[in-house]
Amino acid sequence: MAQGLAAICQSKYLPLGGATVLRHAVNAFAAHPRIAGVLVAIRPEDRALFDRAVAGLSVLSPVPGGAERQDSVRLGLEALAVHKPERVLIHDGARPFPDAALISRVIEGLDEAPAAIPALPLGDTIKRVEDGRIRGTIDRSQLWRAQDPAGVSLRCDPGGASPDGGACLDR
């Protein structure tokens, strides 16, 4: 049943506290004083769900998303080009409660670097497994959990490589 539900409705369209998960997330950005506009990449077949989820909020018309998150990000950035934003924040829409302070910190991080993400130190114990058996414990002292939103200055090519071989958003 859960698999069938997922096929019918992505989790961001499910109700949570009187609104959909997506509405909570979009509203956090739409209400932020330093956010000029909100654009959401969606699956075209979800247009009616999207329209209901954001009814009454000030958002741009959605753009069709891609097969992978990076494809949706690229399509969203291409759609935003006409608006010529200096900075863009990227959020998956499935984490419903980004607060204003978090959004502000990511924006402020873009004053210091071409891209910024919030991250939390990894507290879980991580095990290395081979052939179904635990072979060791991974040192987590340098491991962090990336969160949303990611922020990028449009002076940065989000698809471009960074010196360490990662994408611009990994810098």
Side-chain angles (χ1 to χ4, degrees), residues 32-123:
H32 194 281
R34 295 188 64 191
I35 302 291
V38 176
L39 174 74
V40 180
I42 65 169
R43 297 182 326 167
E45 61 268 27
D46 290 343
R47 180 61 192 255
L49 291 168
F50 171 80
D51 288 343
R52 282 194 297 275
V54 301
L57 296 179
S58 179
V59 298
L60 300 168
S61 293
V63 61
E68 303 291 332
R69 177 179 166 131
Q70 65 190 32
D71 300 319
S72 295
V73 169
R74 179 183 48 78
L75 292 166
L77 291 172
E78 289 172 359
L80 284 173
V82 68
H83 300 283
K84 299 181 179 163
E86 292 179 18
R87 301 168 176 187
V88 174
L89 300 188
I90 301 160
H91 189 274
D92 66 10
R95 301 169 205 229
F97 302 115
D99 65 22
L102 174 69
I103 294 168
S104 292
R105 284 193 305 274
V106 173
I107 292 169
E108 291 160 7
L110 294 173
D111 291 336
E112 306 298 322
I117 59 168
L120 299 170
L122 189 61

Side-chain angles (χ1 to χ4, degrees), residues 7-30:
I8 295 169
C9 181
Q10 294 181 347
S11 63
K12 64 184 158 205
Y13 295 112
L14 293 175
L16 177 66
T20 64
V21 170
L22 180 65
R23 183 178 185 87
H24 287 294
V26 168
N27 189 51
F29 290 92

